[in-house]
Amino acid sequence: MTVLDNRALNRATLARQLLLDRADLPAADAVAHLCGLQAQEPQEPFVGLWSRLAAFDPAVLSDLLTRRTVVRTHLMRRTVHLVSADDVLAWRSRHEAMLRQRVLGVYRDELKGVDLDKLAAEGRELMADGEPRTAAEIVRELAPRWPGPGPRPLGEVVVAALVPMAQAPPRGLWRTKGGVRNVALASWLGRPVDPPAPDGTDPVGQALVRRYLAAHGPAATADLRAWSGLAGLPGAVAALRGELVSFRDERGRELLDLPDAPRPDPGTPAPVRFLPAFDNAILGYQDRSRIIDDAHRGLSVAGERVVLVDGRTAATWTVTEGTVTVDPLRPFSRADRSAVADEGRELALFLSDGASDRVRVAASRRS
């Protein structure tokens, strides 16, 4: 079986994630291709798409949200993602058990004895009018009948697990601040969530395997689970074996892939790219060594924004008063420093609507 080293996997990841070349794709198509973008920080998806798309206009993504073509919702790993409306309707039921279990993992004692199905029915009835509500407003309505769990567990289990919800704008619009107001997905999109598949079948699981590999492959089944948070996907993988190809990584793990998906030559040059917080190019794997060194793995879950140099995490970045500041994690060559500064200037212009191109690359750390 062919072994793909980390550099080969890195270039494949960059190609699938639209980070090797900026893609000439509509924003809606990019969101769908990427299987969504993690979005608990509302402005971060705009940077994620700017780094991936040619001539990205943030107003287009805002328009997609207001037109309900894409939505903000709890989905993979019980985190907030920006996903296409079609995908969330197709995928939400498959995520239901995982969403419940993850909330219970945090609030098991508080929710002990709560009839979650009955609570879900009451939550759906409350939200059926299509009115956006904050979690506090939802709790205020439900707490008289469900006083046991307390406000925070009650709100989280209803909003993040029991009732399929979207976060209504202005939350998530470009350069707009807005608190979270939840609205039932079916009301917001004017279509019901697809029902669960019949027992013994998993068409959504199989679709997720294909879509994940298209955006993240080649990858191991452990990577697929780390991205989705879902159990039971080995069965979907087994059903697809005949249409997939296999490789090994340097650790000996089996990697699966779509036969015709891009796997560029490992020597392909990789441009500097600025990634937002919690980008799935990093978080989409259990083994993240293809793109980030183990010594820096903690950055990926700490909300740090990172800079890719030659395809790997080489710096963090922040922006303050129009200035993009880059803090290298290793020494930069003169050419690397120049390339980072050039891309940082473009990012500063994007984030400031053309008002500032200031960038500062801090002194490189000693290796």
Side-chain angles (χ1 to χ4, degrees):
M1 191 178 293
T2 301
V3 174
L4 299 177
D5 63 19
N6 263 7
R7 189 172 176 90
L9 291 175
N10 175 271
R11 291 316 194 248
T13 295
L14 297 180
R16 311 294 174 87
Q17 286 287 306
L18 312 180
L19 293 167
L20 203 54
D21 295 292
R22 281 188 165 94
D24 187 17
L25 274 179
D29 292 351
V31 171
H33 167 76
L34 295 165
C35 304
L37 294 96
Q38 195 160 336
Q40 63 262 48
E41 297 294 336
Q43 297 297 298
E44 299 302 300
F46 291 91
V47 176
L49 289 179
W50 174 81
S51 288
R52 289 169 163 91
L53 300 182
F56 171 64
D57 181 354
V60 170
L61 183 56
S62 290
D63 187 55
L64 292 173
L65 273 163
T66 56
R67 288 195 292 110
R68 312 182 189 192
T69 304
V70 301
V71 297
R72 294 172 49 84
T73 187
H74 289 88
L75 204 60
M76 282 74 75
R77 307 185 301 278
R78 197 175 75 87
T79 52
V80 176
H81 275 70
L82 183 72
V83 295
S84 77
D86 289 342
D87 283 345
V88 72
L89 292 174
W91 296 353
R92 179 54 173 75
S93 292
R94 182 63 175 82
H95 287 72
E96 176 84 15
M98 177 272 293
L99 295 171
R100 290 191 181 203
Q101 286 302 315
R102 293 218 167 189
V103 176
L104 287 173
V106 179
Y107 298 115
R108 188 169 300 280
D109 290 341
E110 293 86 343
L111 294 168
K112 186 176 181 180
V114 173
D115 186 332
L116 294 182
D117 291 336
K118 184 177 179 182
L119 176 56
E122 292 192 14
R124 288 193 297 270
E125 182 179 0
L126 171 65
M127 302 303 296
D129 60 7
E131 288 296 316
R133 291 176 172 85
T134 66
E137 290 168 339
I138 292 169
V139 167
R140 208 158 38 237
E141 293 283 347
L142 295 176
R145 297 186 298 281
W146 300 91
R152 188 180 181 94
L154 181 62
E156 285 202 27
V157 75
V158 172
V159 168
L162 299 184
V163 182
M165 299 276 201
Q167 294 184 357
R171 185 74 169 176
L173 301 183
W174 176 240
R175 294 186 159 278
T176 302
K177 292 185 178 180
V180 176
R181 296 181 309 138
N182 306 283
V183 59
L185 267 174
S187 298
W188 185 246
L189 298 178
R191 292 178 283 163
V193 172
D194 290 356
D199 289 346
T201 67
D202 192 10
V204 175
Q206 293 177 32
L208 284 168
V209 171
R210 294 188 187 97
R211 293 281 297 278
Y212 172 78
L213 292 176
H216 294 83
T221 54
D223 297 320
L224 174 61
R225 177 158 188 173
W227 165 74
S228 66
L230 295 175
L233 287 176
V237 170
L240 296 177
R241 278 278 178 182
E243 62 183 73
L244 302 177
V245 293
S246 299
F247 304 94
R248 295 277 180 197
D249 65 11
E250 292 175 302
R251 294 168 49 191
R253 299 188 313 162
E254 183 186 32
L255 305 176
L256 301 171
D257 205 5
L258 304 173
D260 298 326
R263 290 179 288 273
D265 186 293
T268 304
V272 169
R273 290 289 185 257
F274 282 70
L275 297 187
F278 306 113
D279 195 279
N280 275 343
I282 298 176
L283 290 185
Y285 303 93
Q286 186 273 329
D287 179 5
R288 298 168 186 165
S289 63
R290 67 179 67 194
I291 203 166
I292 186 169
D293 293 344
D294 286 342
H296 302 137
R297 181 185 173 100
L299 298 175
S300 61
V301 294
E304 295 278 4
R305 299 151 160 174
V306 303
V307 184
L308 303 184
V309 177
D310 192 29
R312 298 194 60 78
T313 300
T316 60
W317 67 275
T318 57
V319 59
T320 305
E321 296 180 351
T323 299
V324 171
T325 298
V326 177
D327 184 15
L329 298 170
R330 60 166 176 77
F332 281 174
S333 68
R334 182 175 298 178
D336 286 345
R337 181 172 289 270
S338 177
V340 168
D342 287 345
E343 186 74 356
R345 276 188 282 273
E346 294 299 320
L347 176 61
L349 287 166
F350 170 73
L351 292 174
S352 67
D353 291 335
S356 169
D357 66 351
R358 296 189 300 273
V359 62
R360 184 178 74 86
V361 183
S364 298
R365 300 182 189 182
R366 296 284 183 182
S367 57

